[in-house]
Structure formats: structure tokens, C-alpha cells
Amino acid sequence: MNSSEWSGPELVLAVVGAAKGLERIVDGNLSAIKGITLAEFRLLSAIAEAPAKRASRADIARAVGLSPSAVTRALRPLERLGITKTVKNERDARLALATLTPQGEELLSDAIGVLEDVLPSILERAPSVAGGKDEFRTMLNELAQL
């Protein structure tokens, strides 16, 4: 094997390790500054990106890679804090849609600002990524579609 080639396990472990390192940095910053976790940020983002900014638990689950029941459990504390709310479907009362409250929209906007602020320090620590951001984004998007 050529020294520039990766074995399957090496590539998988490198990608997972990179994701965990990035998650640790981002999660720490979001928690310290806005009081939410990266997992909660992902839930809020999934709701905000849904059509009409309303999403079923199943749609959110698909977007973030959790089960619908895990999404329901994760949204409960956010609803108690007034960050999200449940809206019943007008045609089918059994279908509950999650939406952001104005407080939730503000929190998400602030959290996006935190991520924008922390990105330069992350890229400083990964200069080869910073130099090839477009290609790196393409690669990550391909992996995300698996």
C-alpha cells in the first residue's frame, strides 16, 4: 500500500475523530456562551430550515439522525424553557409540529453568531482545511449524503 493511501479503518477513525474534536470545541462554546448543546442547536436548525419553519418529529429525526422518540424527549426541555412550542396540525390533531418561539429564533440566531465567531480559531488550527474550504465542504457533503 502506498504511504498516501488510507486503510478503511484509518479513514473511518480519522473522520470520526475529526468530527468528535470539532463537536467538542463547538459544543463547549455553545454551552458556555448560549447555554445550549450542539445537539440542541441541530434540533433548532432543523426546525428553522423546515417548510414554514414547522417540522414533525419524524422530519426532525431524519434531519439530525435520531429517532422520533429521541427528538420528542430532546424537545421537551426546550419547550419548557419557551424555546420551542408544539403546534397541532389543523387537519389532523394527532400530528404535532415543532416550531421555534421568538425566543427560540433569537437563541438560534445568537448561536449561529457564536459558530461564526469560533470558526476562524478552528481554521487557524487546521490550515490545510482553511486553504481548501470549498473542496473540503464538497467532501463533507458527499459523506453526509451516505
Side-chain angles (χ1 to χ4, degrees):
M1 172 169 51
N2 183 321
S3 62
S4 66
E5 293 179 22
W6 291 50
S7 71
E10 288 173 326
L11 179 59
V12 168
L13 292 175
V15 170
V16 170
K20 289 293 184 185
L22 184 60
E23 181 179 4
R24 186 180 61 255
I25 293 167
V26 170
D27 197 56
N29 278 275
L30 284 174
S31 295
I33 298 169
K34 296 313 305 172
I36 63 170
T37 65
L38 179 57
E40 290 167 332
F41 173 80
R42 292 182 69 214
L43 291 170
L44 300 178
S45 294
I47 295 168
E49 292 169 8
K53 296 187 178 189
R54 293 179 176 191
S56 70
R57 303 310 196 248
D59 290 338
I60 297 168
R62 276 189 293 280
V64 301
L66 295 173
S67 69
S69 61
V71 168
T72 297
R73 285 190 303 276
L75 288 176
R76 277 190 202 123
L78 296 174
E79 190 160 350
R80 281 195 298 272
L81 293 169
I83 295 168
T84 64
K85 67 180 178 180
T86 299
V87 177
K88 299 290 183 189
N89 185 295
E90 294 172 6
R91 294 185 181 149
D92 185 350
R94 296 170 297 173
L95 180 60
L97 301 174
T99 188
L100 299 179
T101 64
Q103 180 184 348
E105 289 179 4
E106 183 178 345
L107 176 61
L108 179 60
S109 177
D110 290 349
I112 290 168
V114 169
L115 296 182
E116 293 290 344
D117 289 346
V118 78
L119 182 62
S121 68
I122 291 170
L123 293 178
E124 256 179 43
R125 295 167 64 183
S128 59
V129 172
K133 285 188 287 192
D134 292 337
E135 184 179 6
F136 188 61
R137 171 185 270 173
T138 299
M139 289 184 249
L140 290 174
N141 285 336
E142 286 176 4
L143 287 173
Q145 298 304 312
L146 300 177

